[in-house]
Every structure is written in C-alpha cells, then in structure tokens.
C-alpha cells in the first residue's frame, strides 16, 4: 500500500528546503549542474516523487541517495532489475 503523501504548508519553500537538506549529501556545484545525476535526482525528489516528501522527513536523504544511485547508473536504461536471471521485477 502506498503511503499518503506528506506536504508542507503552502507558504513553505519546499524545493528550497529540500535543496538545503541535499547539501548534506552532495556538493552544491553538482546539484546545480544541469544533467548531473545529483541534479536529476534532486529534481525527481522535488517534482516527480510520488511520496511528495516533507523537507524535514528523516528519510529524505535516504530516498535521495537511492534516486542518485538509480540515475548515476543509468536506471532508465536498465534491462533488468535483478542480478538473478530468474527473478521477477
């Protein structure tokens, strides 16, 4: 079951707050570099992640790290998602 998305109040700068938190995990220049895995993962967290995480969520950096791994290893081009040939995705 997908958890209900959490979102901060409308007057909060959610993207800015998330970027501030991501500075704890990635260099600012990489987050600002268009097309870098760091920038793509940050943009996904901010704009496309179905969880719509609150910037203060303790799991935000874990989620970002997983997204960063996905995008830095060409996740959109993966042909399979398991090391085992017999595993279902």
């Amino acid at each position: 079951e997908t958890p209900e998305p959490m979102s901060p109040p409308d007057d909060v700068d959610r993207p800015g707050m998330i970027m501030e938190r991501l500075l704890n995990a990635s260099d600012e220049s990489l987050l600002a570099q268009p097309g870098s895995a760091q920038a793509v993962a940050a943009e996904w967290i901010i704009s496309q992640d179905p969880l719509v995480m609150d910037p203060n969520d303790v799991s935000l950096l874990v989620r970002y790290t997983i997204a960063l791994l996905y995008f830095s290893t060409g996740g959109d081009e993966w042909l399979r998602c398991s090391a085992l040939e017999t595993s279902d995705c």
Side-chain angles (χ1 to χ4, degrees):
E1 182 174 311
T2 303
E4 286 294 316
M6 296 174 44
S7 59
D10 291 337
D11 60 340
V12 172
D13 176 21
R14 181 177 171 273
M17 290 177 68
I18 288 175
M19 291 302 282
E20 281 292 318
R21 291 280 316 279
L22 298 185
L23 289 173
N24 292 312
S26 287
D27 186 82
E28 185 174 10
S29 65
L30 293 172
L31 284 166
Q33 182 181 354
S36 71
Q38 290 81 357
V40 173
E43 183 59 31
W44 181 83
I45 290 284
I46 292 167
S47 302
Q48 299 173 356
D49 184 357
L51 289 185
V52 189
M53 296 185 81
D54 185 289
N56 297 311
D57 191 310
V58 295
S59 300
L60 178 67
L61 292 180
V62 173
R63 187 117 172 126
Y64 167 73
T65 302
I66 293 168
L68 179 58
L69 175 67
Y70 177 84
F71 290 112
S72 67
T73 59
D76 286 340
E77 305 300 319
W78 291 349
L79 299 177
R80 64 175 196 230
C81 63
S82 174
L84 302 175
E85 293 288 333
T86 59
S87 295
D88 291 331
C89 293

